[in-house]
């Protein structure tokens, strides 16, 4: 769950910074910390807005959280890790810092999400996890579109997998 603080953080950037993601066509920089995500305009050197993450949902890894800017200049994807009494949930949240809300949650990974890659040509994105899977998603639907299992039979270590689109979005 995400709580929102509309104050622009008085120009102070969050600390410690756990992840950065530049938007492809705007001067916006998403800055994740342990407690918030800040949208910063790098041309004017000012903070636009800050969304606080609160409650049980926390950035996936306190030291670093996979973060990706989407095609909308105010939206981003971030991996989250929810610890419950008997289970751990690893999800991706699609956040709008313009509306200050979580637009959608994507669930399916059973271990830490280590990579998020936004397709440069459409609303698809890839995630890679220590559970040994790479998943394809569409921001318009919470369901996973496709899943690739990485196994030791393929001579790959599933704990070190990554997912990246090329600049054309075809590979």
């Amino acid at each position: 769950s995400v709580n929102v603080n509309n104050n622009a953080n008085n120009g102070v950037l969050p600390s410690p910074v756990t992840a950065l993601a530049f938007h492809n066509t705007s001067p916006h920089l998403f800055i994740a910390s342990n407690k918030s995500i800040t949208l910063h305009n790098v041309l004017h050197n000012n903070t636009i807005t800050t969304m606080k993450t609160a409650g049980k949902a926390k950035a996936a890894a306190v030291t670093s959280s996979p973060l990706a800017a989407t095609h909308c200049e105010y939206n981003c994807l971030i991996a989250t890790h929810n610890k419950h009494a008997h289970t751990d949930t690893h999800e991706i949240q699609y956040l709008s810092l313009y509306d200050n809300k979580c637009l959608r949650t994507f669930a399916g990974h059973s271990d830490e999400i280590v990579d998020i890659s936004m397709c440069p040509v459409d609303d698809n994105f890839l995630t890679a996890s220590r559970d040994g899977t790479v998943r394809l998603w569409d921001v318009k639907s919470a369901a996973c579109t496709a899943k690739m299992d990485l196994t030791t039979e393929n001579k790959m270590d599933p704990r070190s997998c990554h997912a990246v689109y090329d600049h054309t979005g075809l590979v």
Side-chain angles (χ1 to χ4, degrees):
S1 123
V2 175
N3 285 337
V4 175
N5 177 4
N6 280 328
N7 295 335
N9 218 17
N10 295 326
V12 177
L13 296 178
S15 179
V17 171
T18 59
L20 299 170
F22 278 100
H23 188 268
N24 285 341
T25 59
S26 77
H28 292 170
L29 171 65
F30 293 90
I31 306 167
S33 73
N34 297 342
K35 298 178 183 178
S36 65
I37 298 174
T38 298
L39 183 60
H40 192 77
N41 184 314
V42 295
L43 288 181
H44 300 293
N45 193 25
N46 68 319
T47 298
I48 297 168
T49 188
T50 297
M51 177 182 279
K52 297 207 182 257
T53 55
K56 296 176 185 170
K58 296 186 178 175
V62 174
T63 55
S64 65
S65 304
L67 175 70
T70 65
H71 298 293
C72 177
E73 63 184 324
Y74 288 90
N75 295 1
C76 67
L77 297 161
I78 190 164
T80 61
H81 179 194
N82 298 305
K83 287 191 174 197
H84 301 288
H86 302 290
T87 62
D88 283 348
T89 306
H90 301 271
E91 300 172 331
I92 302 98
Q93 289 186 345
Y94 179 36
L95 303 175
S96 168
L97 275 72
Y98 181 83
D99 296 325
N100 295 311
K101 65 181 178 181
C102 179
L103 302 174
R104 185 162 288 111
T105 299
F106 305 90
H109 287 294
S110 61
D111 203 342
E112 178 186 359
I113 299 163
V114 296
D115 213 349
I116 301 173
S117 181
M118 188 73 200
C119 181
V121 296
D122 59 29
D123 287 335
N124 290 321
F125 66 97
L126 296 169
T127 57
S129 170
R130 293 197 188 281
D131 65 8
T133 63
V134 172
R135 292 174 184 258
L136 175 66
W137 310 84
D138 186 320
V139 296
K140 297 181 290 280
S141 170
C144 175
T145 305
K147 177 177 122 176
M148 181 171 64
D149 290 308
L150 304 175
T151 65
T152 54
E153 294 171 10
N154 294 332
K155 307 285 190 251
M156 298 181 82
D157 183 355
R159 295 167 296 165
S160 63
C161 64
H162 291 278
V164 179
Y165 277 99
D166 73 331
H167 72 283
T168 65
L170 299 176
V171 180

